[in-house]
Amino acid sequence: MKLQLYVPDGRYDPWLAAFRTALPEAALSTWSDTAQEEADYAVVWKPPIDMLRGRRDLKAIFNMGAGVDGILRWHAEAPGALPANVPIIRLDDAGMSIQMVEYVTHAVLRHFRRFDAYDVQQREGRWKFARPYVREDFHIGVMGLGVLGTRIASALVPFGFPVRGWSRTPKQIDGVTCHAGAAQQDTFLDGLQVLVNILPLTPETDGILNAGLMRKLRPGAHLINIGRGDHLVEEDLLDMLHAEQLSGATLDVFRTEPLPAGHPFWQEPRITITPHISAMTLRDDTVAQIARKIRALEAGKPVAGVVDLARGY
């Protein structure tokens, strides 16, 4: 079998070495716009459309991550450009869920225990007691209940918080009050002290974190965005902070990355910024999962993670 790789930064050597170990029977190549070889499988992250346009050789396209908007953007911007009837397969987890659980748990507990307020007091040289939140009234909502969102919501339950989840279709998670669809979104949002977003990016979810949605949260709520930067209307977040509808936000993803030096988020002390590290791709886990799925496909077996183009994830 033949594998063709594409990564935007051009650092192929570690990936090639990992695939040689995991799939020694495979012939490996990298894509360039000057030398286009045929392959059975493409393994990519944010590929250029010219790599995929009109391909008839591929059996499947593997995405090196859970978010597939870097590929599906071409389905929207250049209809018909993606190879017809070629499945796009995303990662199920590959070590990302535990990292996201750690990230969200830290952000939630930092807000719940008022460490964000104490950080401000330390910078100002003030020694002052901050009234604690009541655990039983500290409602947390997780938007997006796929593999990663389900793991996050489940991890918050043992702390004794009331945890809600919202997804496009109905889900059941032990200890989590689940809501689904547009009809139940307001019920999900009402009174939330913390909102965690891990939705996939689709035309329907682009800009979903806007002023209208934020006004439905409890005054003084905290927003955690680990989905995609395009989910957030950045000007609306600043407006909601200035109006004190939100007390703060923890952001790991942004519309422009790296976040430009002059961006107003840098000057807003109530926003905690991290450089898209809530779940870093673990190369060995990623390669091992893709190798298992390729062997399953070669054996005629089904695999998990096949993207539904109509849903966008």
Side-chain angles (χ1 to χ4, degrees):
M1 74 184 76
K2 296 180 180 180
L3 268 65
Q4 187 175 77
L5 278 64
Y6 177 83
V7 291
D9 62 10
R11 298 176 182 175
Y12 287 107
D13 288 347
W15 289 100
L16 291 170
F19 273 109
R20 288 190 188 104
T21 300
L23 278 174
E25 67 271 33
L28 305 176
S29 66
T30 61
W31 183 86
S32 73
D33 55 5
T34 58
Q36 300 184 31
E37 299 181 17
E38 289 192 351
D40 298 302
Y41 301 99
V43 181
V44 302
W45 179 247
K46 296 184 177 179
I49 188 56
D50 287 344
M51 180 185 181
L52 303 176
R53 190 193 307 271
R55 297 282 293 262
R56 297 184 178 180
D57 52 326
L58 297 175
K59 299 179 183 179
I61 300 167
F62 284 90
N63 189 60
M64 295 186 207
V68 291
D69 46 287
I71 297 177
L72 295 193
R73 59 173 292 200
W74 301 123
H75 180 61
E77 296 178 15
L82 293 180
N85 302 315
V86 176
I88 299 169
I89 303 170
R90 57 176 170 75
L91 294 182
D92 302 318
D93 186 334
M96 290 183 289
S97 66
I98 186 61
Q99 296 178 73
M100 286 193 166
V101 165
E102 293 166 348
Y103 185 99
V104 171
T105 301
H106 173 270
V108 167
L109 294 180
R110 181 172 180 266
H111 180 55
F112 174 68
R113 291 297 309 271
R114 306 302 303 270
F115 292 134
D116 47 2
Y118 292 129
D119 284 347
V120 173
Q121 290 183 191
Q122 179 178 342
R123 291 193 295 269
E124 297 175 348
R126 290 191 297 126
W127 179 286
K128 183 180 178 181
F129 172 78
R131 183 180 297 277
Y133 292 110
V134 178
R135 185 182 307 273
E136 293 76 16
D137 197 36
F138 195 84
H139 294 265
I140 302 170
V142 179
M143 294 183 75
L145 296 177
V147 173
L148 303 178
T150 295
R151 184 82 180 267
I152 290 168
S154 297
L156 294 170
V157 171
F159 288 96
F161 301 124
V163 180
R164 307 176 197 168
W166 183 83
S167 54
R168 180 176 177 271
T169 56
K171 301 289 177 66
Q172 288 187 335
I173 304 171
D174 288 346
V176 178
T177 302
C178 294
H179 304 266
Q184 297 183 16
Q185 189 182 80
D186 285 357
T187 302
F188 161 76
L189 295 168
D190 183 44
L192 287 181
Q193 186 69 45
V194 176
L195 175 62
V196 181
N197 175 58
I198 190 172
L199 288 167
L201 181 62
T202 69
E204 291 74 26
T205 64
D206 192 331
I208 192 170
L209 301 176
N210 54 45
L213 179 144
M214 296 178 207
R215 289 192 186 99
K216 296 172 183 176
L217 308 176
R218 178 178 299 180
H222 191 93
L223 173 67
I224 302 171
N225 188 21
I226 55 173
R228 284 290 185 264
D230 287 349
H231 285 132
L232 176 64
V233 180
E234 296 180 343
E235 298 82 0
D236 287 3
L237 172 59
L238 292 170
D239 288 345
M240 292 295 99
L241 288 169
H242 296 155
E244 299 186 348
Q245 171 61 20
L246 295 187
S247 63
T250 301
L251 307 179
D252 188 54
V253 289
F254 305 88
R255 287 184 175 265
T256 301
E257 296 183 3
L259 188 66
H263 197 286
F265 283 179
W266 289 116
Q267 306 304 319
E268 175 49 73
R270 290 167 291 185
I271 296 178
T272 298
I273 294 169
T274 52
H276 207 145
I277 50 78
S278 59
M280 295 177 284
T281 299
L282 302 180
R283 185 180 295 110
D284 290 346
D285 290 354
T286 296
V287 169
Q289 184 180 138
I290 292 174
R292 287 195 301 272
K293 290 186 176 183
I294 287 176
R295 288 201 174 102
L297 291 175
E298 289 290 296
K301 299 178 181 178
V303 298
V306 177
V307 174
D308 184 331
L309 290 181
R311 293 192 306 177
Y313 56 92

